[in-house]
Amino acid sequence: MSSSFAELGLLPALVRALGERGYTTPTPIQTQAIPAVLEGRDLLAAAQTGTGKTAGFTLPLLQRIAQIDFGRQNGKAKIRVLILTPTRELAAQVEESVRHYGKYVDVKSMVMFGGVNINPQKEKLNRRVDILVATPGRLLDHVGQKTIDLSGIDTLVLDEADRMLDMGFIRDIRRILPLLPADRQNLLFSATFSDEIKTLAAGILNNPLEIEVARRNTPAELVTQRVHPVDRDKKRPLLERLIRDGDWHQVLVFTRTKHGANRLAEQLDKSGISALPIHGNKSQSARERALREFKDGSLRVLVATDIAARGIDIDGLPHVVNYELPNTPEDYVHRIGRTGRAGASGEAVSLVCVDEFKLLADIEKLMKRRLEQVVLPGFEPDLSVAPEPLRKAREPRPPRQKPAGGNARGGAGGGKPGGRSEGPAKQPQPKPRPKAGSGPKPAGSPEANGNRSGNRGGGQPGGGNGGGGNSKRGNSGHRDGSRRPGGSGGRAG
């Protein structure tokens, strides 16, 4: 294993920028990935949060672009690297890393996501952009408006590919792939090598190098994990007690649903503990404000859903609380990975009621260990209470099908920023001449309701048709908060 970034063949300018940020020794994934990416190889890497994977692909890509002589190129420089991420926060985090690491090289980067005005992005695309970090939906918006040229892409990066599949972005990815040059480098990063990821990789990667690494230290070494059994109606008082008695000043709290995040943040704030929620139904400005105040210490508690928390990277975050256990044990690993980063210690506390005992068992099975359980005085759970069904977070809605004769560009939408788009404005349709013998149908019948999808706008102009039949995607708004022309954003989780 290389003991320094210089030994991996990185330019002095990149090593200098890394040193200024306190990074001197590469992590295992960086040691394996950087030389492979510099050689132009495809990569399939299983890496959880906290492994340093972002630097593992951004550093060699910065170096390859920095060595291009743009003065000898004819015409406008084209985008060379496309990095796709599932959420706005992660996109912003990755692009910020590109700027920090590329401080002393001539490389231009840009971040692109939905939920914000598209026009400043159009203006920036008129200038030189070498590395583009984007969410899939907003990228397809630009494709539809013909404001982006992807013909010069040398490298495609799919970051947190498992989360993109979970959020239903596979159709968007299949629409994007045909728009890129066939001869390109492909890098795929995922927390796990599930069957779905292997299928996706088989269709994209060419003789890839496979890398699978754990975090530099296991969660047991870095993160103290503890479970507090408690009745469901005593969770909030217990959380307030932990925060006050422990004098916690920076706490990331996870809930399963957006409504639960809103309610808990409001209740904590009313009790004198400053708190804000962050999730996909919040506007981009509200999300940025919550994250900014949490990072600078002026906000004590950030209440998040799993998807919105992707991209929250805070060195030294001391406390993570599972107010509600996640529906999948893998998300538990992602949650506690927000603490114990960069060699710092951290604490992960889970408040578990009788409804969640099965979820806790699944987590312990995945981690192959029993988690310490501590019952606190005054919060002893009543184990005779019957468990209640859990309210699950709403799954991403599948895209609408493109109706025959639909409007390819779409009309004026009416959704809320960062929320789910209501689609384009409905266009008046000529009334069909009634058939002989037909009359009014009973209200609520299929005949009375009709097929409303025909009035809902249509496909993606200029979007290509990748993956067989995916051009049928309707104009429904994307899950990353992107818009159709004139429309409003979809949800990001």
Side-chain angles (χ1 to χ4, degrees), residues 11 74 115 118 157 185 202-203 256 259 262 265 284 295 326 330 346 364 375 382 397 404 433 442 458 471 486 493:
L11 294 171
N74 295 323
I118 198 172
V157 182
Q185 181 183 33
R256 272 192 299 272
H259 175 68
N262 286 338
Q284 186 62 26
K295 285 185 175 181
E330 290 81 7
E364 291 179 332
V375 177
D382 182 358
R397 183 174 63 180
R433 181 177 298 175
S471 62

Side-chain angles (χ1 to χ4, degrees), residues 440-452:
K441 304 297 181 183
S445 68
E447 294 88 349
N449 290 334
N451 181 6
R452 293 186 177 89

Side-chain angles (χ1 to χ4, degrees), residues 171-192:
R171 295 176 180 87
D172 289 344
I173 293 172
R174 286 175 177 162
R175 291 178 66 86
I176 292 168
L177 292 177
L179 309 177
L180 311 178
D183 184 17
R184 66 176 186 272
Q185 181 183 33
N186 300 283
L187 312 176
L188 190 152
F189 290 83
S190 174
T192 60

Side-chain angles (χ1 to χ4, degrees), residues 68-130:
I68 296 174
D69 186 355
F70 290 100
R72 294 190 175 186
Q73 293 197 344
N74 295 323
K76 179 184 174 183
K78 295 183 177 182
I79 301 170
R80 297 282 182 165
V81 173
L82 172 62
I83 303 172
L84 294 178
T85 72
T87 67
R88 312 174 209 175
E89 282 74 22
L90 183 57
Q93 184 72 40
V94 171
E95 197 271 337
E96 182 182 45
S97 296
V98 171
R99 283 186 283 109
H100 286 322
Y101 301 150
K103 181 178 180 180
Y104 298 112
V105 294
D106 181 21
V107 177
K108 309 297 182 184
S109 62
M110 172 184 173
V111 64
M112 173 190 294
F113 47 70
V116 297
N117 192 326
I118 198 172
N119 291 323
Q121 296 174 359
K122 293 180 181 179
E123 295 174 3
K124 195 161 187 178
L125 286 169
N126 288 327
R127 302 189 291 271
R128 176 183 149 199
V129 175
D130 303 313

Side-chain angles (χ1 to χ4, degrees), residues 45-54 86-87 90 158-167 189-194 197 213-215 218-219 223 225 252-255 304-314 317 319-322 324-341 347-350 362-363 366-367 371:
Q48 296 175 359
T49 181
T51 58
K53 64 179 174 63
T54 301
T87 67
L90 183 57
L158 299 181
D159 193 14
E160 298 207 358
D162 55 333
R163 179 56 67 181
M164 279 198 269
L165 295 187
D166 290 344
M167 293 174 66
F189 290 83
S190 174
T192 60
F193 282 164
S194 65
I197 290 295
V213 298
R215 296 181 58 177
T218 65
V223 181
Q225 301 174 68
L252 178 59
V253 179
F254 284 97
T255 62
T305 56
D306 288 295
I307 293 175
R310 295 296 180 106
I312 296 179
D313 186 1
I314 303 172
L317 176 64
H319 306 287
V320 167
V321 175
N322 292 297
E324 297 166 327
L325 290 182
N327 293 316
T328 62
E330 290 81 7
D331 280 339
Y332 174 85
V333 177
H334 282 295
R335 288 181 178 189
I336 68 173
R338 300 297 143 189
T339 186
R341 302 172 74 92
E347 183 178 36
V349 174
S350 299
D362 292 340
I363 290 169
L366 176 69
M367 302 192 68
L371 299 181

Side-chain angles (χ1 to χ4, degrees), residues 129-149:
V129 175
D130 303 313
I131 297 179
L132 174 63
V133 187
T135 51
R138 179 48 64 94
L139 178 66
L140 285 173
D141 289 343
H142 282 279
V143 169
Q145 297 189 36
K146 296 179 169 51
T147 54
I148 192 168
D149 179 9

Side-chain angles (χ1 to χ4, degrees), residues 5 8 18 23 25-34 45-60 97 101 159 189 213-217 313 315 337 341-342:
F5 287 103
L8 295 177
L18 286 167
Y23 303 132
T25 304
T27 65
I29 192 170
Q30 292 164 2
T31 300
Q32 298 178 67
I34 289 174
Q48 296 175 359
T49 181
T51 58
K53 64 179 174 63
T54 301
F57 64 80
T58 55
L59 288 169
S97 296
Y101 301 150
D159 193 14
F189 290 83
V213 298
R215 296 181 58 177
R216 179 178 299 194
N217 296 288
D313 186 1
D315 288 344
R341 302 172 74 92

